[in-house]
Amino acid sequence: TQLLEQSPQFLSIQEGENLTVYCNSSSVFSSLQWYRQEPGEGPVLLVTVVTGGEVKKLKRLTFQFGDARKDSSLHITAAQPGDTGLYLCAGTGGSQGNLIFGKGTKLSVKP
Amino acid sequence: NAGVTQTPKFQVLKTGQSMTLQCAQDMNHNSMYWYRQDPGMGLRLIYYSASEGTTDKGEVPNGYNVSRLNKREFSLRLESAAPSQTSVYFCASSVLGQDGNTIYFGEGSWLTVV
């Protein structure tokens, strides 16, 4: 069974701080996605990484896919209250290529 | 753009009652999904449909049935609701692009079984 472990589970920081969220597995994934979910809404896709070692930037968010395609990280620079939410990583796996989700990191950014 | 629309948004059921969650997408996607989200458990796949006319079990299918009525609609039915089915349910659809499957989620349905 393919599993994705996310850490930390909870993170509470002050506005302006930097943070990194991790997504790790013992399995190789053909691609990995990051979603953000706000309270009362469904997850929304932020980025997809497909190549080992790939780095993608989305404004203050930097996503990295591990060289072996088993892990990924999300780094947020100068966090803002609007970054508050649940961050989920998801890897493409299984016989049907379905997404396997991590349990998420709940981020709270205080003004 | 409506995207993925699911109804109802909130529902309270008594143990043993039945109900159907409705889902429709207007993006012409082939694949559709039903997930449940529970605290500390993340998103777990209940059923999915790779194309019209086909359905397959996901990680937690027990107690649920699905119908892919047409390309747009994918419903989830609870025949005899149990308190363990209290959860937030998300319908989703996906399109296969060069970066793999991109999934679009509905806004969720909050179900409480008492």
Side-chain angles (χ1 to χ4, degrees):
Chain A
T1 303
Q2 293 177 297
L3 292 173
L4 280 167
E5 301 284 344
Q6 284 191 245
S7 61
Q9 189 176 358
F10 299 98
L11 191 54
S12 181
I13 61 172
Q14 294 296 128
E15 182 176 2
E17 292 183 9
N18 301 331
L19 67 114
T20 302
V21 174
Y22 299 93
C23 177
N24 296 300
S25 177
S26 58
S27 303
V28 175
F29 290 94
S30 58
S31 67
L32 200 139
Q33 299 179 334
W34 285 92
Y35 291 79
R36 183 169 74 202
Q37 184 178 16
E38 299 188 21
E41 299 182 8
V44 175
L45 180 66
L46 295 174
V47 77
T48 301
V49 285
V50 295
T51 306
E54 182 177 5
V55 176
K56 281 191 175 179
K57 291 191 174 184
L58 187 65
K59 296 183 181 179
R60 294 175 294 99
L61 277 60
T62 301
F63 305 85
Q64 186 163 7
F65 202 12
D67 291 341
R69 290 186 288 129
K70 292 182 179 182
D71 54 83
S72 181
S73 63
L74 158 60
H75 182 79
I76 301 179
T77 303
Q80 299 178 0
D83 296 326
T84 293
L86 179 68
Y87 288 82
L88 296 160
C89 67
T92 299
S95 59
Q96 299 290 333
N98 291 319
L99 279 182
I100 297 166
F101 281 86
K103 294 181 180 180
T105 293
K106 193 168 185 179
L107 172 65
S108 174
V109 182
K110 301 184 191 317
Chain B
N1 293 331
V4 179
T5 304
Q6 53 182 111
T7 58
K9 181 86 170 178
F10 301 98
Q11 183 73 50
V12 178
L13 285 178
K14 293 182 179 179
T15 297
Q17 285 186 320
S18 61
M19 77 158 296
T20 300
L21 297 175
Q22 307 286 353
C23 176
Q25 52 93 8
D26 62 1
M27 296 174 282
N28 201 37
H29 290 168
N30 285 323
S31 297
M32 296 187 73
Y33 311 81
W34 275 104
Y35 288 88
R36 60 178 289 174
Q37 187 174 36
D38 303 287
M41 299 297 292
L43 279 159
R44 294 182 293 171
L45 183 64
I46 304 171
Y47 270 93
Y48 66 97
S49 171
S51 62
E52 184 180 352
T54 68
T55 61
D56 286 285
K57 295 179 180 179
E59 181 185 354
V60 288
N62 291 343
Y64 305 96
N65 285 302
V66 291
S67 295
R68 183 74 183 267
L69 304 170
N70 48 55
K71 192 171 187 179
R72 289 187 66 249
E73 298 173 288
F74 188 38
S75 62
L76 178 72
R77 182 161 178 84
L78 286 69
E79 290 291 351
S80 179
S84 61
Q85 294 178 303
T86 293
S87 187
V88 184
Y89 291 85
F90 288 97
C91 178
S93 67
S94 71
V95 60
L96 187 60
Q98 63 177 40
D99 283 349
N101 253 346
T102 297
I103 291 192
Y104 297 84
F105 286 87
E107 294 188 339
S109 296
W110 273 253
L111 176 65
T112 300
V113 183
V114 298

